mmCIF file of all heavy atoms in Angstrom:
data_model
loop_
_atom_site.group_PDB
_atom_site.id
_atom_site.type_symbol
_atom_site.label_atom_id
_atom_site.label_comp_id
_atom_site.label_asym_id
_atom_site.label_seq_id
_atom_site.Cartn_x
_atom_site.Cartn_y
_atom_site.Cartn_z
ATOM 1 N N THR Q 43 92.902 -39.413 -114.243
ATOM 2 C CA THR Q 43 93.403 -40.676 -113.696
ATOM 3 C C THR Q 43 92.475 -41.115 -112.562
ATOM 4 O O THR Q 43 91.821 -40.263 -111.924
ATOM 5 C CB THR Q 43 94.844 -40.538 -113.157
ATOM 6 O OG1 THR Q 43 94.852 -39.515 -112.144
ATOM 7 C CG2 THR Q 43 95.821 -40.197 -114.274
ATOM 8 N N HIS Q 44 92.436 -42.403 -112.375
ATOM 9 C CA HIS Q 44 91.572 -42.971 -111.307
ATOM 10 C C HIS Q 44 92.341 -44.130 -110.681
ATOM 11 O O HIS Q 44 92.868 -44.989 -111.363
ATOM 12 C CB HIS Q 44 90.284 -43.486 -111.957
ATOM 13 C CG HIS Q 44 89.264 -43.976 -110.959
ATOM 14 N ND1 HIS Q 44 88.508 -43.111 -110.218
ATOM 15 C CD2 HIS Q 44 88.887 -45.220 -110.627
ATOM 16 C CE1 HIS Q 44 87.694 -43.815 -109.443
ATOM 17 N NE2 HIS Q 44 87.923 -45.106 -109.660
ATOM 18 N N ALA Q 45 92.402 -44.107 -109.369
ATOM 19 C CA ALA Q 45 93.195 -45.104 -108.619
ATOM 20 C C ALA Q 45 92.759 -46.538 -108.969
ATOM 21 O O ALA Q 45 91.571 -46.864 -108.935
ATOM 22 C CB ALA Q 45 93.038 -44.897 -107.110
ATOM 23 N N ALA Q 46 93.698 -47.357 -109.347
ATOM 24 C CA ALA Q 46 93.427 -48.716 -109.751
ATOM 25 C C ALA Q 46 92.843 -49.521 -108.558
ATOM 26 O O ALA Q 46 91.975 -50.371 -108.722
ATOM 27 C CB ALA Q 46 94.656 -49.426 -110.284
ATOM 28 N N ALA Q 47 93.344 -49.255 -107.370
ATOM 29 C CA ALA Q 47 92.830 -49.944 -106.171
ATOM 30 C C ALA Q 47 91.360 -49.622 -105.978
ATOM 31 O O ALA Q 47 90.576 -50.502 -105.638
ATOM 32 C CB ALA Q 47 93.619 -49.553 -104.922
ATOM 33 N N ARG Q 48 90.993 -48.390 -106.179
ATOM 34 C CA ARG Q 48 89.569 -48.020 -106.031
ATOM 35 C C ARG Q 48 88.713 -48.713 -107.115
ATOM 36 O O ARG Q 48 87.614 -49.166 -106.821
ATOM 37 C CB ARG Q 48 89.453 -46.510 -106.134
ATOM 38 C CG ARG Q 48 88.031 -46.012 -105.947
ATOM 39 C CD ARG Q 48 87.914 -44.538 -105.900
ATOM 40 N NE ARG Q 48 86.561 -44.112 -105.825
ATOM 41 C CZ ARG Q 48 86.125 -42.857 -105.867
ATOM 42 N NH1 ARG Q 48 87.015 -41.882 -105.977
ATOM 43 N NH2 ARG Q 48 84.873 -42.560 -105.840
ATOM 44 N N TYR Q 49 89.247 -48.785 -108.331
ATOM 45 C CA TYR Q 49 88.546 -49.445 -109.387
ATOM 46 C C TYR Q 49 88.354 -50.931 -109.079
ATOM 47 O O TYR Q 49 87.268 -51.461 -109.244
ATOM 48 C CB TYR Q 49 89.339 -49.318 -110.730
ATOM 49 C CG TYR Q 49 88.764 -50.180 -111.823
ATOM 50 C CD1 TYR Q 49 87.550 -49.831 -112.430
ATOM 51 C CD2 TYR Q 49 89.434 -51.307 -112.262
ATOM 52 C CE1 TYR Q 49 87.003 -50.604 -113.463
ATOM 53 C CE2 TYR Q 49 88.887 -52.085 -113.273
ATOM 54 C CZ TYR Q 49 87.706 -51.741 -113.869
ATOM 55 O OH TYR Q 49 87.157 -52.502 -114.838
ATOM 56 N N ARG Q 50 89.374 -51.586 -108.567
ATOM 57 C CA ARG Q 50 89.262 -53.001 -108.180
ATOM 58 C C ARG Q 50 88.287 -53.205 -107.075
ATOM 59 O O ARG Q 50 87.527 -54.186 -107.058
ATOM 60 C CB ARG Q 50 90.645 -53.551 -107.800
ATOM 61 C CG ARG Q 50 91.602 -53.786 -108.964
ATOM 62 C CD ARG Q 50 92.821 -54.485 -108.541
ATOM 63 N NE ARG Q 50 93.739 -53.688 -107.713
ATOM 64 C CZ ARG Q 50 94.666 -52.894 -108.167
ATOM 65 N NH1 ARG Q 50 94.867 -52.725 -109.453
ATOM 66 N NH2 ARG Q 50 95.415 -52.196 -107.327
ATOM 67 N N ARG Q 51 88.199 -52.265 -106.139
ATOM 68 C CA ARG Q 51 87.310 -52.326 -105.004
ATOM 69 C C ARG Q 51 85.837 -52.077 -105.433
ATOM 70 O O ARG Q 51 84.928 -52.793 -105.025
ATOM 71 C CB ARG Q 51 87.735 -51.350 -103.953
ATOM 72 C CG ARG Q 51 86.962 -51.391 -102.650
ATOM 73 C CD ARG Q 51 87.563 -50.478 -101.595
ATOM 74 N NE ARG Q 51 87.560 -49.088 -101.958
ATOM 75 C CZ ARG Q 51 88.654 -48.358 -102.224
ATOM 76 N NH1 ARG Q 51 89.858 -48.886 -102.123
ATOM 77 N NH2 ARG Q 51 88.581 -47.090 -102.550
ATOM 78 N N GLU Q 52 85.624 -51.083 -106.321
ATOM 79 C CA GLU Q 52 84.285 -50.652 -106.646
ATOM 80 C C GLU Q 52 83.711 -51.273 -107.935
ATOM 81 O O GLU Q 52 82.521 -51.337 -108.115
ATOM 82 C CB GLU Q 52 84.229 -49.139 -106.772
ATOM 83 C CG GLU Q 52 84.528 -48.452 -105.439
ATOM 84 C CD GLU Q 52 84.554 -46.934 -105.538
ATOM 85 O OE1 GLU Q 52 84.437 -46.402 -106.669
ATOM 86 O OE2 GLU Q 52 84.708 -46.316 -104.479
ATOM 87 N N GLY Q 53 84.620 -51.713 -108.841
ATOM 88 C CA GLY Q 53 84.167 -52.363 -110.052
ATOM 89 C C GLY Q 53 83.852 -51.362 -111.181
ATOM 90 O O GLY Q 53 83.826 -50.162 -110.965
ATOM 91 N N PRO Q 54 83.551 -51.895 -112.359
ATOM 92 C CA PRO Q 54 83.362 -51.045 -113.546
ATOM 93 C C PRO Q 54 82.071 -50.218 -113.478
ATOM 94 O O PRO Q 54 82.088 -49.072 -113.960
ATOM 95 C CB PRO Q 54 83.336 -51.999 -114.717
ATOM 96 C CG PRO Q 54 83.031 -53.354 -114.119
ATOM 97 C CD PRO Q 54 83.549 -53.327 -112.727
ATOM 98 N N ASP Q 55 81.011 -50.708 -112.925
ATOM 99 C CA ASP Q 55 79.733 -49.966 -112.915
ATOM 100 C C ASP Q 55 79.896 -48.648 -112.097
ATOM 101 O O ASP Q 55 79.583 -47.561 -112.616
ATOM 102 C CB ASP Q 55 78.622 -50.778 -112.334
ATOM 103 C CG ASP Q 55 78.228 -51.919 -113.260
ATOM 104 O OD1 ASP Q 55 78.466 -51.829 -114.478
ATOM 105 O OD2 ASP Q 55 77.683 -52.930 -112.720
ATOM 106 N N SER Q 56 80.330 -48.790 -110.850
ATOM 107 C CA SER Q 56 80.494 -47.596 -109.981
ATOM 108 C C SER Q 56 81.530 -46.644 -110.527
ATOM 109 O O SER Q 56 81.362 -45.423 -110.531
ATOM 110 C CB SER Q 56 80.876 -48.015 -108.561
ATOM 111 O OG SER Q 56 79.794 -48.688 -107.949
ATOM 112 N N THR Q 57 82.635 -47.191 -111.032
ATOM 113 C CA THR Q 57 83.705 -46.329 -111.556
ATOM 114 C C THR Q 57 83.224 -45.592 -112.800
ATOM 115 O O THR Q 57 83.466 -44.388 -112.924
ATOM 116 C CB THR Q 57 84.925 -47.205 -111.931
ATOM 117 O OG1 THR Q 57 85.372 -47.877 -110.734
ATOM 118 C CG2 THR Q 57 86.044 -46.362 -112.488
ATOM 119 N N ALA Q 58 82.485 -46.274 -113.698
ATOM 120 C CA ALA Q 58 81.976 -45.606 -114.895
ATOM 121 C C ALA Q 58 80.999 -44.482 -114.530
ATOM 122 O O ALA Q 58 81.067 -43.393 -115.111
ATOM 123 C CB ALA Q 58 81.311 -46.607 -115.785
ATOM 124 N N ARG Q 59 80.126 -44.719 -113.554
ATOM 125 C CA ARG Q 59 79.190 -43.675 -113.132
ATOM 126 C C ARG Q 59 79.914 -42.473 -112.578
ATOM 127 O O ARG Q 59 79.609 -41.332 -112.910
ATOM 128 C CB ARG Q 59 78.196 -44.202 -112.103
ATOM 129 C CG ARG Q 59 77.033 -45.008 -112.726
ATOM 130 C CD ARG Q 59 75.942 -45.280 -111.718
ATOM 131 N NE ARG Q 59 76.396 -46.036 -110.551
ATOM 132 C CZ ARG Q 59 76.440 -47.364 -110.518
ATOM 133 N NH1 ARG Q 59 76.102 -48.066 -111.554
ATOM 134 N NH2 ARG Q 59 76.876 -47.974 -109.441
ATOM 135 N N TYR Q 60 80.919 -42.744 -111.702
ATOM 136 C CA TYR Q 60 81.672 -41.661 -111.073
ATOM 137 C C TYR Q 60 82.415 -40.859 -112.134
ATOM 138 O O TYR Q 60 82.371 -39.606 -112.139
ATOM 139 C CB TYR Q 60 82.671 -42.259 -110.078
ATOM 140 C CG TYR Q 60 83.659 -41.286 -109.564
ATOM 141 C CD1 TYR Q 60 83.316 -40.366 -108.630
ATOM 142 C CD2 TYR Q 60 84.991 -41.297 -110.055
ATOM 143 C CE1 TYR Q 60 84.261 -39.431 -108.176
ATOM 144 C CE2 TYR Q 60 85.939 -40.389 -109.600
ATOM 145 C CZ TYR Q 60 85.538 -39.471 -108.660
ATOM 146 O OH TYR Q 60 86.499 -38.563 -108.227
ATOM 147 N N LEU Q 61 83.097 -41.533 -113.066
ATOM 148 C CA LEU Q 61 83.855 -40.820 -114.097
ATOM 149 C C LEU Q 61 82.965 -40.057 -115.056
ATOM 150 O O LEU Q 61 83.315 -38.955 -115.540
ATOM 151 C CB LEU Q 61 84.774 -41.775 -114.854
ATOM 152 C CG LEU Q 61 85.894 -42.349 -113.984
ATOM 153 C CD1 LEU Q 61 86.615 -43.450 -114.742
ATOM 154 C CD2 LEU Q 61 86.877 -41.256 -113.540
ATOM 155 N N ALA Q 62 81.805 -40.587 -115.369
ATOM 156 C CA ALA Q 62 80.832 -39.884 -116.230
ATOM 157 C C ALA Q 62 80.382 -38.602 -115.571
ATOM 158 O O ALA Q 62 80.306 -37.558 -116.217
ATOM 159 C CB ALA Q 62 79.650 -40.799 -116.568
ATOM 160 N N ILE Q 63 80.098 -38.664 -114.279
ATOM 161 C CA ILE Q 63 79.664 -37.440 -113.559
ATOM 162 C C ILE Q 63 80.811 -36.444 -113.551
ATOM 163 O O ILE Q 63 80.564 -35.247 -113.783
ATOM 164 C CB ILE Q 63 79.189 -37.821 -112.127
ATOM 165 C CG1 ILE Q 63 77.888 -38.563 -112.217
ATOM 166 C CG2 ILE Q 63 79.070 -36.544 -111.267
ATOM 167 C CD1 ILE Q 63 77.465 -39.205 -110.937
ATOM 168 N N ARG Q 64 82.057 -36.873 -113.325
ATOM 169 C CA ARG Q 64 83.188 -35.943 -113.344
ATOM 170 C C ARG Q 64 83.346 -35.287 -114.719
ATOM 171 O O ARG Q 64 83.547 -34.085 -114.848
ATOM 172 C CB ARG Q 64 84.497 -36.676 -113.028
ATOM 173 C CG ARG Q 64 84.603 -37.206 -111.608
ATOM 174 C CD ARG Q 64 84.987 -36.113 -110.589
ATOM 175 N NE ARG Q 64 86.127 -35.315 -110.996
ATOM 176 C CZ ARG Q 64 87.383 -35.559 -110.644
ATOM 177 N NH1 ARG Q 64 87.683 -36.620 -109.922
ATOM 178 N NH2 ARG Q 64 88.352 -34.763 -111.016
ATOM 179 N N TYR Q 65 83.204 -36.109 -115.791
ATOM 180 C CA TYR Q 65 83.315 -35.564 -117.136
ATOM 181 C C TYR Q 65 82.190 -34.576 -117.433
ATOM 182 O O TYR Q 65 82.462 -33.462 -117.924
ATOM 183 C CB TYR Q 65 83.283 -36.741 -118.172
ATOM 184 C CG TYR Q 65 83.186 -36.252 -119.582
ATOM 185 C CD1 TYR Q 65 84.296 -35.670 -120.196
ATOM 186 C CD2 TYR Q 65 82.000 -36.362 -120.307
ATOM 187 C CE1 TYR Q 65 84.206 -35.194 -121.529
ATOM 188 C CE2 TYR Q 65 81.908 -35.912 -121.619
ATOM 189 C CZ TYR Q 65 83.017 -35.347 -122.201
ATOM 190 O OH TYR Q 65 82.948 -34.892 -123.493
ATOM 191 N N LEU Q 66 80.963 -34.991 -117.137
ATOM 192 C CA LEU Q 66 79.833 -34.109 -117.440
ATOM 193 C C LEU Q 66 79.843 -32.831 -116.624
ATOM 194 O O LEU Q 66 79.357 -31.799 -117.047
ATOM 195 C CB LEU Q 66 78.546 -34.878 -117.284
ATOM 196 C CG LEU Q 66 78.366 -35.990 -118.353
ATOM 197 C CD1 LEU Q 66 77.179 -36.876 -117.980
ATOM 198 C CD2 LEU Q 66 78.213 -35.441 -119.748
ATOM 199 N N ALA Q 67 80.401 -32.867 -115.419
ATOM 200 C CA ALA Q 67 80.504 -31.679 -114.603
ATOM 201 C C ALA Q 67 81.442 -30.659 -115.270
ATOM 202 O O ALA Q 67 81.263 -29.448 -115.147
ATOM 203 C CB ALA Q 67 80.993 -32.015 -113.176
ATOM 204 N N SER Q 68 82.454 -31.171 -115.942
ATOM 205 C CA SER Q 68 83.393 -30.261 -116.599
ATOM 206 C C SER Q 68 82.912 -29.819 -117.986
ATOM 207 O O SER Q 68 83.434 -28.859 -118.505
ATOM 208 C CB SER Q 68 84.792 -30.936 -116.742
ATOM 209 O OG SER Q 68 84.719 -31.959 -117.708
ATOM 210 N N ARG Q 69 81.948 -30.507 -118.524
ATOM 211 C CA ARG Q 69 81.423 -30.179 -119.864
ATOM 212 C C ARG Q 69 79.903 -30.242 -119.805
ATOM 213 O O ARG Q 69 79.238 -31.158 -120.321
ATOM 214 C CB ARG Q 69 81.935 -31.167 -120.916
ATOM 215 C CG ARG Q 69 83.441 -31.210 -121.014
ATOM 216 C CD ARG Q 69 83.868 -30.899 -122.404
ATOM 217 N NE ARG Q 69 85.266 -30.630 -122.490
ATOM 218 C CZ ARG Q 69 86.195 -31.517 -122.872
ATOM 219 N NH1 ARG Q 69 85.862 -32.706 -123.208
ATOM 220 N NH2 ARG Q 69 87.475 -31.156 -122.937
#
Side-chain angles (χ1 to χ4, degrees):
T43 59
H44 186 75
R48 183 174 175 185
Y49 171 72
R50 287 188 291 272
R51 186 174 60 248
E52 296 177 356
D55 292 335
S56 293
T57 300
R59 279 192 301 274
Y60 169 76
L61 292 171
I63 290 168
R64 294 281 310 268
Y65 172 72
L66 292 170
S68 70
R69 301 237 167 99

